[in-house]
Amino acid sequence: MNRSEFLETLQHGLRSLPVEEREGIINDLDEHIAVSLENGVSEAEAIALLGQPADIIAQYVHGDIAEPKREQAPVIQKSVVAPTEAPPEKPTSKQVSPFKIILIAVMCFIILMLLLDALD
């Protein structure tokens, strides 16, 4: 059984549940499969680790607790970090835009005018 068949079976079996709850369950199980695939587990193994669709459906629809057939050891994969290039050097001098220069000049002018007006 592949991923899409597995999820379709669950979708059909969980149809008695409210749509939001059903979609949440399907999305959660799909995410578990995706994480397993990212960690190097085959699609068939990832689905098998989740259990039989009938057991999952019974658990959510009837409240039955399905006994796991085997325990899943955590799948841990060390990520290999490839050496990266050194980040590009930042320019040592900061450039000030002409707009900022004009803005500062206008502010200085206004302050100067206010000071001169206060002295009168």
Side-chain angles (χ1 to χ4, degrees):
M1 176 178 290
N2 65 29
R3 185 178 190 174
S4 63
E5 291 170 342
F6 178 76
L7 296 174
E8 284 177 25
T9 302
L10 290 173
Q11 184 78 22
H12 180 73
L14 298 171
R15 69 186 180 281
S16 63
L17 297 176
V19 175
E20 293 175 1
E21 184 178 354
R22 181 175 60 236
E23 293 301 321
I25 294 166
I26 299 294
N27 290 338
D28 187 44
L29 293 172
D30 190 37
E31 187 176 334
H32 282 289
I33 295 170
V35 169
S36 293
L37 292 173
E38 288 173 5
N39 287 315
V41 177
S42 73
E43 186 175 277
E45 289 175 321
I47 293 169
L49 290 171
L50 291 174
Q52 293 297 317
D55 295 338
I56 295 170
I57 293 165
Q59 180 180 359
Y60 286 105
V61 174
H62 306 296
D64 297 342
I65 303 297
E67 291 294 324
K69 294 189 171 105
R70 61 180 177 158
E71 288 188 29
Q72 175 184 358
V75 178
I76 300 173
Q77 181 181 13
K78 293 182 181 179
S79 61
V80 178
V81 179
T84 59
E85 295 180 19
E89 292 184 25
K90 295 182 180 177
T92 55
S93 64
K94 292 185 178 181
Q95 294 182 350
V96 180
S97 70
F99 174 76
K100 288 181 181 178
I101 293 172
I102 293 172
L103 183 65
I104 292 170
V106 168
M107 289 173 54
C108 288
F109 178 75
I110 291 171
I111 292 171
L112 180 63
M113 294 304 287
L114 290 171
L115 285 174
L116 288 175
D117 189 47
L119 292 176
D120 285 340

